[in-house]
């Protein structure tokens, strides 16, 4: 049976031609498994859907920043959206061309700005007047002119989780339109910057085209206004936010977004930038974890696995839904036979917090200790948000290509946990 892009067959789960049980045996668990084919397929779908307008796809490095993933996307022609000096470093290490890199974020430090200027990136997405002043100053000192986009706050409700809503008036992101207009009018007084774009990113995991369309309207109106004020605006940057399947049905195809957005852009003369992260990698990754113990407590069934909230924090932090399934179950996911034997269970981790869970009251078939459980749709904002909480080494990452796999990040060791720490010199 197929679930998302994976094949559940012979009591195993196939990523490409590789049974994930083999990866678990060789690399251990917990482990993140990514499919190169699926990553490529999603980028290709976006490229095809947006091909009628000149579009630069800047992959949002924050969603999954592993070098190998960035490398695969760069080889296909993607640029990068980075939000820190560290992400810029990664993008460059992956072979990213500076002229395909945009730098966003509300709190860029002077050092990060300098690093990006020295590398001659495509542009900075500027989030405040104060930041604009610093970029202007640093660039002028270097006798450079920094290309920038103003990130406006279009005050559009993306109707997603409030923690990942960014385009509403009360969020910390972007510049309100009144201030942005004044900044655009005064741009000529600044020797170190040139306004070449308008940017907006209204939120993440948006499963409706309408908020994007509403934001585009506001961005384009503002871009016109900037041009009238004498600024050479040539880029419209709509950010990311395209939603994916977590329950198996909510994501929209890339073509829906393109159909909603491209008519307004066609013939406008603007180049489009988009910054998708989750859309490309979200459904291309899963977290594989092994059952340590099964505990029956009253009428509750707890399946205790070897991955915890430190490995994948989305359920704990956002009450996010991830499908979970024991891959060596004899029952096919979604089948009437599976339903007949399923009972509610909490799939929980070993961390000392009640909030450490992957699924609560989920209908699951009988599961034995030692079984492998797959947490689906974990490619985006999984490994990148992993921590060492409870002094747990972070998991390994594996990329499957066809019938082979590469370990693209080794599992951390206990030595890694204390690297850089020092015992105090004097003990009394
Ligand atoms: N551009 C900007 C300016 C962003 O802030 C983001 C995400 C993106 C692009 C990429 O958005 P995407 O296409 O991946 O939706 N940790 C949260 C998501 C945080 C998103 C932050 N910004 C989660 O696990 O759902």
């Amino acid at each position: 049976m197929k679930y998302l892009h994976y094949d559940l067959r012979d009591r195993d789960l196939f990523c490409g031609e590789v049974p994930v049980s083999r990866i678990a045996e060789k690399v251990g668990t917990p482990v993140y498994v990514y499919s190169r084919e699926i990553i490529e397929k999603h980028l290709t779908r976006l490229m095809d859907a947006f091909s009628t307008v000149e579009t630069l796809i800047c992959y949002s490095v924050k969603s999954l920043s592993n070098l190998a993933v960035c490398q695969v996307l760069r080889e296909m022609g993607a640029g990068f959206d980075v939000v820190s000096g560290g992400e810029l470093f990664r993008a460059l290490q992956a072979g990213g061309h500076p002229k395909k890199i945009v730098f966003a974020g509300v709190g860029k430090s002077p050092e990060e700005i300098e690093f990006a200027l020295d590398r001659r990136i495509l542009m900075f997405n500027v989030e405040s007047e104060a930041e604009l002043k610093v970029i202007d100053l640093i660039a002028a000192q270097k006798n450079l002119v920094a290309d920038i986009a103003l990130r406006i706050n279009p005050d559009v409700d993306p109707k997603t989780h409030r923690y990942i809503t960014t385009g509403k008036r009360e969020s910390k992101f972007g510049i309100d339109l009144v201030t942005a207009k004044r900044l655009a009018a005064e741009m000529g007084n600044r020797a170190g910057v040139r306004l070449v774009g308008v940017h907006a990113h209204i939120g993440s995991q948006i499963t409706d085209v309408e908020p994007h369309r509403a934001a585009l309207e506001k961005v384009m109106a503002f871009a016109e206004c900037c041009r009238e004020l004498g600024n050479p605006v040539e880029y419209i940057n709509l950010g990311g936010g395209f939603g994916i399947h977590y329950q198996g049905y909510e994501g929209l195809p890339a073509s829906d977004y393109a159909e909603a957005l491209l008519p307004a852009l066609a013939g406008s003369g603007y180049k489009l930038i988009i910054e998708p992260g989750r859309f490309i990698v979200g459904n291309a990754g899963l977290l594989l974890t092994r059952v340590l113990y099964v505990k029956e407590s009253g009428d509750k069934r707890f399946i205790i696995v070897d991955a915890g909230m430190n490995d994948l924090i989305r359920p704990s932090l956002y009450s996010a839904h991830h499908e979970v399934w024991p891959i060596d179950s004899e029952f096919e996911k979604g089948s009437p036979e599976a339903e007949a034997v399923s009972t509610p269970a909490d799939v929980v981790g070993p961390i000392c917090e009640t909030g450490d869970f992957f699924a609560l009251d989920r209908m699951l078939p009988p599961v034995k200790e030692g079984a492998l459980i797959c947490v689906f749709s974990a490619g985006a904002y999984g490994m990148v948000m992993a921590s060492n909480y409870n002094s747990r080494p972070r998991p390994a990452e594996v990329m499957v290509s066809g019938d082979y796999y590469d370990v693209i990040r080794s599992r951390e060791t206990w030595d890694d946990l204390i690297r850089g720490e020092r015992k105090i010199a004097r003990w009394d």
Side-chain angles (χ1 to χ4, degrees):
M1 170 250 176
K2 278 255 183 211
Y3 179 69
L4 293 176
H5 311 274
Y6 300 95
D7 227 351
L8 281 151
R9 68 177 132 99
D10 308 331
R11 299 184 70 171
D12 211 326
L13 176 92
F14 284 75
C15 179
E17 286 312 306
V18 179
V20 295
S21 59
R22 191 181 338 142
I23 297 172
E25 255 160 51
K26 298 272 190 231
V27 185
T29 53
V31 57
Y32 276 98
V33 179
Y34 311 121
S35 156
R36 178 174 178 165
E37 274 89 16
I38 301 171
I39 292 174
E40 289 176 343
K41 184 159 79 181
H42 288 147
L43 177 59
T44 305
R45 283 186 183 161
L46 281 171
M47 285 176 154
D48 290 350
F50 284 88
S51 63
T52 55
V53 162
E54 189 176 338
T55 304
L56 176 61
I57 299 182
C58 288
Y59 169 63
S60 196
V61 173
K62 69 171 85 63
S63 60
L64 168 52
S65 55
N66 187 290
L67 274 184
V69 173
C70 293
Q71 178 198 4
V72 163
L73 294 168
R74 192 263 302 156
E75 278 169 10
M76 293 179 67
F80 296 105
D81 153 44
V82 301
V83 291
S84 67
E87 283 192 356
L88 175 54
F89 172 73
R90 268 181 190 284
L92 294 169
Q93 288 289 314
H97 194 290
K99 284 291 170 232
K100 286 186 173 181
I101 297 179
V102 295
F103 190 172
V106 290
K108 305 174 189 79
S109 71
E111 294 74 25
E112 289 175 320
I113 292 169
E114 210 174 330
F115 176 45
L117 272 171
D118 289 343
R119 294 299 176 285
R120 309 282 193 273
I121 63 163
L122 180 61
M123 74 182 83
F124 294 86
N125 294 336
V126 173
E127 300 246 8
S128 64
E129 179 167 7
E131 181 197 335
L132 181 66
K133 283 186 185 155
V134 173
I135 296 177
D136 181 27
L137 194 75
I138 298 178
Q141 277 166 358
K142 289 177 174 285
N143 271 326
L144 293 172
V145 179
D147 281 349
I148 62 143
L150 288 179
R151 173 171 181 177
I152 61 163
N153 185 328
D155 195 23
V156 168
D157 185 356
K159 301 191 183 76
T160 181
H161 192 286
R162 65 192 172 91
Y163 284 11
I164 49 177
T165 292
T166 49
K168 287 189 72 189
R169 198 193 306 275
E170 59 270 25
S171 100
K172 72 175 176 181
F173 297 98
I175 306 174
D176 69 273
L177 280 168
V178 175
T179 309
K181 188 166 176 189
R182 178 173 56 76
L183 294 179
E186 295 167 358
M187 209 58 76
N189 306 331
R190 300 186 185 277
V193 290
R194 202 166 72 109
L195 179 58
V196 300
V198 178
H199 175 243
H201 168 82
I202 54 174
S204 198
Q205 183 55 13
I206 304 171
T207 51
D208 179 0
V209 296
E210 193 46 38
H212 287 289
R213 213 200 42 72
L216 175 63
E217 207 169 281
K218 294 203 174 174
V219 168
M220 285 193 68
F222 182 63
E224 284 308 309
C225 164
C226 293
R227 277 187 170 177
E228 279 158 24
L229 290 165
N231 296 289
V233 170
E234 50 175 326
Y235 292 96
I236 297 286
N237 183 338
L238 278 185
F242 305 152
I244 61 159
H245 300 309
Y246 282 100
Q247 319 232 16
Y249 53 79
E250 32 333 9
L252 298 176
S255 52
D256 281 20
Y257 294 105
E259 277 162 28
L261 301 174
L262 293 187
L265 284 159
S268 67
Y270 291 112
K271 295 175 201 158
L272 176 66
I273 299 177
I274 50 174
E275 303 170 342
R278 193 188 313 259
F279 187 90
I280 297 177
V281 293
N283 284 137
L286 48 87
L287 175 64
L288 200 55
T289 177
R290 207 176 272 286
V291 177
L292 292 173
Y293 304 107
V294 178
K295 174 158 102 172
E296 310 275 350
S297 176
D299 55 358
K300 287 287 285 188
R301 177 164 64 123
F302 293 101
I303 300 173
I304 302 164
V305 295
D306 66 359
M309 66 190 279
N310 71 299
D311 302 304
L312 175 67
I313 201 173
R314 301 193 73 259
S316 314
L317 190 57
Y318 313 113
S319 304
H321 178 99
H322 285 262
E323 280 293 304
V324 296
W325 194 252
I327 65 161
D328 35 12
S329 163
E330 59 185 293
F331 302 99
E332 194 168 282
K333 184 171 163 43
S335 69
E337 294 76 24
E339 265 168 39
V341 294
S342 288
T343 57
D346 287 3
V347 181
V348 302
I351 299 238
C352 304
E353 296 236 9
T354 310
D356 177 29
F357 59 82
F358 294 114
L360 297 179
D361 276 329
R362 198 66 68 79
M363 294 302 279
L364 291 173
V367 174
K368 292 199 186 71
E369 288 163 7
L372 284 172
I373 295 229
C374 183
V375 185
F376 289 96
S377 309
Y381 308 107
M383 183 62 181
V384 285
M385 293 178 80
S387 76
N388 292 124
Y389 187 37
N390 277 207
S391 284
R392 288 167 49 84
R394 282 177 296 174
E397 292 175 289
V398 161
M399 189 185 294
V400 175
S401 314
D403 58 1
Y404 68 94
Y405 68 85
D406 291 295
V407 177
I408 57 172
R409 180 186 174 124
S410 341
R411 182 178 309 286
E412 282 180 342
T413 63
W414 287 348
D415 279 333
D416 291 330
L417 292 177
I418 54 170
R419 176 154 306 124
E421 292 183 29
R422 307 262 185 288
K423 289 191 256 185
I424 53 172
R426 278 187 301 147
W427 299 82
D428 286 325

